[in-house]
Structure formats: structure tokens, C-alpha cells
Amino acid sequence: MAKMKDFKQRFYYLCLSIFINAAGNALAISSNLGSAVWTGSAVNLSKMVNIPLGTTLFLYGIIVTLSNQLLLGQFDRRRFFSNLLFTLPFSYLVQFSEWIFDSLGVPTYDFWWRVILDIIGLFCVAMAVSMYSRANLIMHPNDDLAYIIRFKFTHGSAVISQWLSYIPPVIITGACFLLTGNIYATNFGTVFALVFQGAMMKWSDTHAFPALKHHVDL
């Protein structure tokens, strides 16, 4: 009975975190002042190859899911399918949420209002990642990458693991800029996320929904 109660709690926070994460990413994109690092690189890739953002995010998810299996050193069936299960609805939920914020006129707001909304969006992303990392039922493959690095290679450091997981999207964004001469969704907010997301996750681990504890399975 205790296990069932624990599962219900973890499942509730998982569902809540998916909506918070998608809305936070979309708000940062819509503010046009820089989004989370992975999302920003997906926006740039989407613009370069001219395919919808949701589809780009989903393809990202497939590639990172495969990379996670290589890092684990063995095929983890539960992790493989749960990564894909997360990324499919999440990818298109981001696209839909961005459409809502754009429709509300967020890109036209005054600069300082957009700065505030950008920071709120990025904080929501970090908080959501902390929530479903602790629940550890299913995770977005990008965040599972940081989770694997955190508990397998960096002795539990949220900050260092987050920085290491950002290396691929930073390279992709740089490559897109070199090939097109344009850069999108990469601005103040991207630097803010690059520097502070690990710290915001660490704060969220103990302050945002503290009843939810880490369920480590590595």
C-alpha cells in the first residue's frame, strides 16, 4: 500500500512537471530573449532545416535517447521506452504552448516585461526538471542525459552535470549560426540558463514540493 501511495505521488508530480516544463520553455521562446539551451538549439535547427519545432524536438529526443543507452553501457528497456514516451507529447505541447503565448502578444511586450517573463519561464523549466527527476518514472531524454551524468559521473552534482549535458546543444547552435549567419532563441535567457539552471534545479530539489524525494535507480 505504501508503494502504491508513493507511485501516485510520483505520477502526479510527473504530470504536473510536464505541463510546467512545456509552458516554461514556450514562454522563454515567445519572449524572444533566449530560451533554455537545448530548446534554443532546437529552434535554430528548426529554422535552418525548415521543419516544425515540435518535430525537431521529437527527433532530438530520439537521438538523445539512443545516446543515453550508450552512456549506460547496456540496453535499459524501461529507460529507452520511457524517454520516447515523454518526448512525443512534450515536443508538441511546447509548440502548442508557444502558439498560445504568441497569441497573447508576449513577443510584443516591453523589453523589461519580456526579461521578467523569460526568467520566470527558465525557472519553471528548472523546477519541472527537478520534479520529474525526483519522481523518476519517465524523463525527457535531454534531462535523463544530465541525470545519468549526475549520478554516474559527477557524484550527484546537479551543476556540473547540467553544464556537461549542454555541450551538444551549444555545438549545434554554433554550427547553425556558422551555416546560416542567423541565430534564434539565443540571447540573455540562454546565458542565464547556461549559468544558473543547475543551481535553480538544486534549489528546487529542496524547496519546490519538498515532499517529493529523489528516487535514484542507477
Side-chain angles (χ1 to χ4, degrees), residues 8 13 47 70 76 88 110 120 132 155 161 168-169 171 175 178:
K8 288 181 178 179
Y13 283 117
K47 297 285 187 181
L70 293 175
D76 185 329
L88 178 58
D110 289 341
I120 291 173
Y132 59 70
H155 308 290
S161 61
I171 292 173
L178 290 175

Side-chain angles (χ1 to χ4, degrees), residues 20-32 35 39 53 90 93-102 106 118 121 125:
I20 293 174
N21 196 8
N25 273 291
L27 183 58
I29 295 171
S30 188
S31 75
N32 201 29
S35 59
T39 311
L53 176 60
F90 170 80
L93 187 57
V94 171
Q95 182 175 316
F96 177 69
S97 299
E98 183 195 2
W99 174 80
I100 291 176
F101 288 126
D102 286 351
V106 170
D118 195 22
V125 171

Side-chain angles (χ1 to χ4, degrees), residues 145-165:
L145 171 64
Y147 182 89
I148 292 169
I149 294 172
R150 178 179 180 180
F151 290 104
K152 192 171 183 181
F153 301 106
T154 65
H155 308 290
S157 172
V159 177
I160 296 174
S161 61
Q162 202 70 48
W163 285 347
L164 290 175
S165 74

Side-chain angles (χ1 to χ4, degrees), residues 33-37 40 118 122 184-195:
L33 287 176
S35 59
V37 181
D118 195 22
L122 294 170
Y184 304 94
T186 305
N187 202 310
F188 155 79
T190 310
V191 177
F192 183 87
L194 187 62
V195 175

